[in-house]
Amino acid sequence: MADHSLPQKIADQLRRDILRGKFAPGAPLKERDNATELGVSRTPMREAIRILAREGLVILRPSRSPLIADPSLKQVTDLIEVLRALEMLSGRLACINATDEEIAAIRALHERMTELYDKIDSLDMFEIDMNFHLSIARASHNPALAETHAAYLARLWRARYLSASQKRSRDRVLRQHGTIVAGLEARNPEMAVGEIENHLEHLVINITDLFAARDAERAAEVTSEGGHRATTPTPTPTPKNPNRKRDDK
Amino acid sequence: MADHSLPQKIADQLRRDILRGKFAPGAPLKERDNATELGVSRTPMREAIRILAREGLVILRPSRSPLIADPSLKQVTDLIEVLRALEMLSGRLACINATDEEIAAIRALHERMTELYDKIDSLDMFEIDMNFHLSIARASHNPALAETHAAYLARLWRARYLSASQKRSRDRVLRQHGTIVAGLEARNPEMAVGEIENHLEHLVINITDLFAARDAERAAEVTSEGGHRATTPTPTPTPKNPNRKRDDK
DNA sequence: TCAATAGATTTGGTATACCAAAATTCAAGA
DNA sequence: TCTTGAATTTTGGTATACCAAATCTATTGA
């Protein structure tokens, strides 16, 4: 958060906009328009877009506008599979390398989350959840691991956010977080790692349900729209058409 | 390899130069000079440097020349620790998802490596070794995993190359590769994953030895150089840094 | 009425010019 | 001789101009 470079700040701004939904998944991200909109030149905007591309939030196409990423279920579950390996490693290393202070800070996050769960909006809550997992990765004392883990979390932001918004999993999430913290405190890798694995297993289940629900919703839309003219069978893959054309000759 | 974008080609060129030793570790990489040297503008050179920075081959400093990375032993072993988790996951998934053709191709690589080991130079040999491990990751059918794994392999290029040049580990490496292939063919995750873990454990040992040897060499140099004027106690970590201290209030 | 094509336009890629921060140099003074 | 500070140089950051590929529009011809 403390990087004061201009491309980083632009990337932070864009990331928020993307994740908050200002740009729809699948929409093109025109570097010239966004640059003028934010009042910066194209050069730092280009770098910002590359940063987001590295994080997987946008995908680059040769000689074409970058697109806001709209990953398929398989892509998301593939990402989670790697994330699981990274988090399990983080947990194991954190049991060995974390300082008592770091573990205490992780517990503090967990307790704040428990206390505020029903009191704040899901975006703020999710911020805490994010920090919880990032702190464990950092506590592994393996910077490369922490960095890669953070990149995967960023890439899975939207999916995890949607999953976390399902309040029905509230109790399970808090319980699992509690077990993870207890495992760290006991310096018990089996306990911590096992529960981390469990935690992410449920994330896969949740996400799969969400995709299924979304697909069902779309199918219903299509059929109810009438047989001859399906308005948008696909989720508006390219909603760009505000082509202004001149009236002169 | 088949990316025809200019920044990618520049990055490929620079990567080879760095890994072949044209640029020493710790040396600055001036974007203007290198751009004119290669006959391109600074803009694609900038992007190329960012690509290498992402791979960890160069490190960026705010408002300062990027440096050729010169990782410490801990940094390298940290990277290997993550690589191990990634390769173990790759092996496990490959046992499940790989096609018979993919496994056959991996075996072909292994047999070519066995056949040519004493006949070609270590750089070409290392190319095959690289492909062997990349192919396993790709055979996981998890693109995100393959990509992250490839990034870690690139980051560890130099260390792995130096380790692979130690011909004394020849037999062990070939034997381990053989066991890994056999595990894949048998679709036996325990066999494949276990040997992958073993393989990387030996890499850590090898690298640790190499660092120890290098440090010992340096220490010997310093003492034999005589007491008053050590010409280059360190192997010129930064050819240009007569650190000038300005007045500070 | 529709299809094909040519011209206009959008858009990313590249080159270059300018700026500001950092570093090196060098001269002046103690 | 050493310190110090100011000027110059070096170097990365940013803005802008130009180009080429891709796309879209609109006209024309069947």
Side-chain angles (χ1 to χ4, degrees), chain B residues 26-207:
Chain B
L29 186 61
K30 314 187 187 178
E31 79 176 40
R32 212 178 302 244
D33 295 0
N34 282 90
T36 58
E37 171 132 356
L38 287 179
V40 299
S41 166
R42 284 178 57 203
T43 315
M45 172 60 70
R46 277 179 74 76
E47 289 213 13
I49 290 178
R50 304 308 152 123
I51 291 173
L52 298 180
R54 165 156 88 101
E55 296 176 1
L57 278 173
V58 307
I59 59 180
L60 268 43
R61 307 174 294 175
S63 304
R64 213 71 111 269
S65 286
L67 297 182
I68 309 295
D70 187 17
S72 67
L73 176 60
K74 167 159 176 25
Q75 286 173 319
V76 171
T77 52
D78 277 355
L79 289 169
I80 295 177
E81 189 115 38
V82 181
L83 181 66
R84 175 166 52 185
L86 295 173
E87 293 218 331
M88 288 169 71
L89 178 59
S90 293
R92 195 159 57 75
L93 292 177
C95 282
I96 301 170
N97 299 326
T99 65
D100 292 340
E101 290 74 31
E102 285 168 335
I103 293 180
I106 293 169
R107 167 162 290 286
L109 278 173
H110 169 54
E111 300 197 333
R112 195 146 72 92
M113 187 160 171
T114 305
E115 185 196 347
L116 297 178
Y117 205 104
D118 302 305
K119 299 196 178 74
I120 61 179
D121 93 314
S122 42
L123 201 59
D124 293 331
M125 173 52 60
F126 189 60
E127 187 88 7
I128 303 177
D129 183 270
M130 196 90 160
N131 269 323
F132 178 80
H133 291 279
L134 287 174
S135 297
I136 295 176
R138 276 196 298 267
S140 73
H141 287 226
N142 181 328
L145 173 58
E147 188 191 323
T148 302
H149 170 262
Y152 269 81
L153 270 197
R155 242 166 128 162
L156 283 164
W157 212 101
R158 187 199 312 277
R160 291 181 67 249
Y161 172 61
L162 292 177
S163 169
S165 301
Q166 311 282 315
K167 295 275 185 186
R168 67 183 163 77
S169 45
R170 181 207 122 121
D171 290 335
R172 174 183 53 77
V173 167
L174 290 178
R175 182 166 17 88
Q176 290 181 329
H177 281 196
T179 307
I180 294 170
V181 174
L184 291 175
E185 285 169 338
R187 307 281 180 174
N188 180 340
E190 281 73 25
M191 183 174 176
V193 171
E195 197 62 21
I196 287 172
E197 181 166 25
N198 224 321
H199 193 48
L200 284 166
E201 205 48 64
H202 274 87
L203 177 59
V204 173
I205 296 171
N206 248 352
I207 302 279

Side-chain angles (χ1 to χ4, degrees), chain A residues 29 31 46 49-50 53 58-67, chain B residues 2-8 47:
Chain A
L29 186 62
E31 76 177 41
R46 276 179 75 76
I49 291 178
R50 304 308 151 123
V58 307
I59 59 180
L60 268 43
R61 307 176 293 175
S63 303
R64 211 73 110 271
S65 287
L67 297 182
Chain B
D3 193 322
H4 303 95
S5 115
L6 182 54
Q8 270 298 339
E47 289 213 13

